[in-house]
């Protein structure tokens, strides 16, 4: 594959793992330290595809990413649900008593705080990205500093894993989506999930009516997320994910909702990533 894939974070991150799961190890990677930069790389053509985290079983929805996808008319073409594993890693030849500081993303530190209560000698330092810290430790030969990162980062940067699975909650999963600027070309036989966005007027029961349509058309509502419409106080957009068995049932639901709702948009139709 010759396309360039933009990820949030660095090589060795969970975003990188998702990119490799879909497109293999020989991908051309564009590292972006924010989701805004990732989207800009899609818009300016320096990347063809982007990997974006959208929700997490602990932290919930990453609401700004819904807004980015909507604002810039990106299309979701695929998704993956990835179990998140946090590992403590450092330069080889050290053990945990040698570690003075752990640098990592604030969310990773938060998700591992119970582990570090058992090691009060370690100072926790917030940093920009898990895998980027692992890369820096390796490149700058930083002794006494450890990173929290996926195991893929230890393999790439030649670090030693001091402790496995240090996250407090072991069943922690993140939903990632693959996005692009062009209309998706997924075949009908590949599609059993859709992401939609719409607005509703203030009439009583307007949302209930939409939900009834989804039910009547055999749609399974797997996600609903509201975002305020910035230009109109107290008005909201709704982002919904639905799964279905029959594509014709989905097309029927789509046609009805397009009539009933305001500002209707299809964000993507693709294969359900839940196993």
């Amino acid at each position: 594959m010759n396309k360039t894939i933009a990820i949030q974070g660095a090589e060795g991150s969970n975003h990188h793992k998702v990119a490799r799961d879909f497109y293999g190890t020989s991908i051309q990677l564009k590292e972006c330290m924010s989701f805004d930069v990732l989207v800009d790389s899609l818009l300016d053509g320096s990347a063809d595809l982007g990997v974006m985290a959208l929700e997490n079983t602990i932290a919930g929805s990453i609401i700004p990413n819904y807004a980015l996808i909507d604002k810039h008319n990106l299309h979701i073409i695929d998704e993956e649900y990835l179990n998140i594993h946090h590992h403590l890693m450092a330069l080889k030849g050290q053990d945990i008593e040698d570690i003075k500081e752990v640098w990592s993303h604030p969310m990773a530190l938060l998700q591992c705080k119970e582990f570090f209560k058992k090691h009060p000698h370690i100072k926790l330092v917030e940093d920009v990205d898990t895998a980027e810290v692992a890369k820096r430790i390796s490149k700058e030969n930083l002794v006494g500093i450890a990173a929290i990162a996926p195991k893929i980062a230890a393999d790439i940067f030649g670090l030693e894993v001091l402790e496995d699975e240090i996250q407090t909650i072991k069943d922690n999963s993140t939903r990632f989506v693959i996005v692009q600027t062009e209309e998706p070309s997924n075949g009908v036989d590949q599609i059993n999930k859709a992401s939609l966005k719409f607005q509703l007027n203030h009439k009583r029961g307007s949302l209930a009516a939409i939900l009834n349509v989804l039910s009547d058309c055999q749609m399974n509502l797997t996600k609903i997320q509201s975002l305020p419409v910035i230009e109109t106080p107290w008005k909201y957009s709704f982002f919904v994910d639905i799964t279905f068995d029959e594509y014709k049932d989905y097309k029927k639901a789509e046609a009805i909702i397009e009539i009933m709702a305001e500002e209707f948009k299809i964000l993507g139709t693709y294969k359900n990533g839940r196993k």
Side-chain angles (χ1 to χ4, degrees), residues 10 22 33 42 62 68 79 100 118 120 134-135 143 145 196 211 214 229 234 263 270:
F22 275 102
M33 287 300 113
L42 294 173
I62 305 174
L68 282 172
E79 68 174 2
K100 298 179 177 63
K118 299 180 289 187
K135 183 178 183 178
V143 177
I145 307 298
L196 312 175
L211 298 180
L214 295 177
V229 178
W234 308 116
E263 300 290 331
Y270 48 95

Side-chain angles (χ1 to χ4, degrees), residues 150-188:
K151 192 165 285 186
I152 181 180
D155 296 337
I156 291 172
F157 303 120
L159 300 181
E160 184 173 346
V161 175
L162 304 180
E163 293 283 347
D164 279 307
E165 307 289 354
I166 66 171
Q167 66 272 13
T168 302
I169 300 175
K170 302 306 179 186
D171 189 7
N172 176 17
S173 180
T174 296
R175 178 188 175 214
F176 295 84
V177 292
I178 310 295
V179 294
Q180 63 183 33
T181 56
E182 296 84 13
E183 288 274 358
S185 56
N186 294 333
V188 170

Side-chain angles (χ1 to χ4, degrees), residues 10-139:
E11 181 184 17
S13 65
N14 284 312
H15 280 80
H16 180 206
K17 185 179 187 309
V18 171
R20 294 210 319 185
D21 288 347
F22 275 102
Y23 303 111
T25 57
S26 59
I27 54 177
Q28 297 181 52
L29 205 63
K30 184 174 180 62
E31 299 174 335
C32 306
M33 287 300 113
S34 74
F35 287 110
D36 290 279
V37 173
L38 184 153
V39 171
D40 287 343
S41 72
L42 294 173
L43 297 177
D44 67 21
S46 58
D48 303 291
L49 300 166
V51 179
M52 297 179 71
L54 209 53
E55 57 183 304
N56 176 265
T57 52
I58 297 175
S61 297
I62 305 174
I63 291 177
N65 286 357
Y66 282 89
L68 282 172
I69 291 170
D70 178 33
K71 177 181 178 181
H72 298 289
N73 296 314
L74 300 180
H75 300 278
I76 300 172
I77 64 168
D78 226 322
E79 68 174 2
E80 179 176 347
Y81 290 80
L82 182 69
N83 289 326
I84 304 301
H85 304 277
H86 290 308
H87 306 277
L88 189 68
M89 59 191 68
L91 292 174
K92 293 179 179 180
Q94 302 177 96
D95 57 36
I96 198 163
E97 285 72 26
D98 299 316
I99 301 304
K100 298 179 177 63
E101 295 183 359
V102 169
W103 303 348
S104 196
H105 188 277
M107 186 57 67
L109 294 173
L110 179 65
Q111 293 176 355
C112 301
K113 65 179 182 179
E114 291 302 316
F115 172 82
F116 289 108
K117 286 181 179 179
K118 299 180 289 187
H119 303 281
H121 71 285
I122 296 177
K123 179 182 179 181
L124 304 180
V125 181
E126 293 185 359
D127 212 297
V128 65
D129 180 71
T130 56
E132 198 278 333
V133 170
K135 183 178 183 178
R136 203 184 318 154
I137 289 171
S138 176
K139 184 178 179 180

Side-chain angles (χ1 to χ4, degrees), residues 211-268:
L211 298 180
N212 284 335
V213 167
L214 295 177
S215 177
D216 291 344
C217 293
Q218 312 301 315
M219 300 295 103
N220 179 31
L221 180 68
T222 61
K223 175 76 176 180
I224 182 167
Q225 176 71 54
S226 64
L227 268 72
V229 178
I230 303 300
E231 303 83 4
T232 311
W234 308 116
K235 188 167 187 177
Y236 294 86
S237 295
F238 293 91
F239 294 80
V240 301
D241 293 330
I242 51 177
T243 60
F244 44 88
D245 294 324
E246 298 291 338
Y247 185 74
K248 61 181 177 59
D249 291 335
Y250 159 68
K251 293 301 290 183
K252 179 181 177 182
E254 177 194 306
I256 297 172
I257 294 172
E258 188 168 15
I259 294 170
M260 296 175 62
E262 304 171 1
E263 300 290 331
F264 179 71
K265 182 189 289 188
I266 301 166
L267 302 177

